[in-house]
Amino acid sequence: MNWDRIEGNWTQLKGKVREQWGKLTDDDIDVIAGKRDQLSGKIQERYGIAKDEADKQLNDWQTRADDRWLS
């Protein structure tokens, strides 16, 4: 799923984000509002990881993103 679709369906995908990155708060997820760079930054902050690692995790998650997640 491309990032435009993820951003456009952010409300439906919040749960999948919380499943993947449980240290993110509901407030974090609301503020991120589907913005990839903001999500990457929050992942770095909450997990204490480098930008490259956060981006790798995001790419992996995006690759697994599936239309079935939108139901």
Side-chain angles (χ1 to χ4, degrees), residues 15-65:
K16 293 294 185 181
V17 172
R18 284 298 300 272
E19 284 177 22
Q20 180 69 36
W21 296 285
K23 291 184 181 180
L24 297 178
T25 67
D26 289 335
D27 287 342
D28 290 338
I29 293 171
D30 288 341
V31 168
I32 291 163
K35 304 293 186 214
R36 192 180 196 288
D37 58 335
Q38 290 186 20
L39 179 54
S40 177
K42 283 295 181 185
I43 293 168
Q44 291 170 57
E45 180 183 321
R46 295 284 184 239
Y47 287 87
I49 60 176
K51 182 178 184 340
D52 289 346
E53 177 58 26
D55 288 340
K56 180 187 177 306
Q57 288 182 20
L58 272 171
N59 288 336
D60 292 346
W61 183 83
Q62 182 179 353
T63 299
R64 291 190 318 272

Side-chain angles (χ1 to χ4, degrees), residues 1-13 17 33-34 39 58 61-63 65 69-70:
M1 184 179 306
N2 71 35
W3 200 264
D4 288 336
R5 286 203 62 211
I6 290 171
E7 187 174 350
N9 291 288
W10 189 247
T11 302
Q12 294 95 322
L13 295 171
V17 172
L39 179 54
L58 272 171
W61 183 83
Q62 182 179 353
T63 299
W69 290 7
L70 300 176

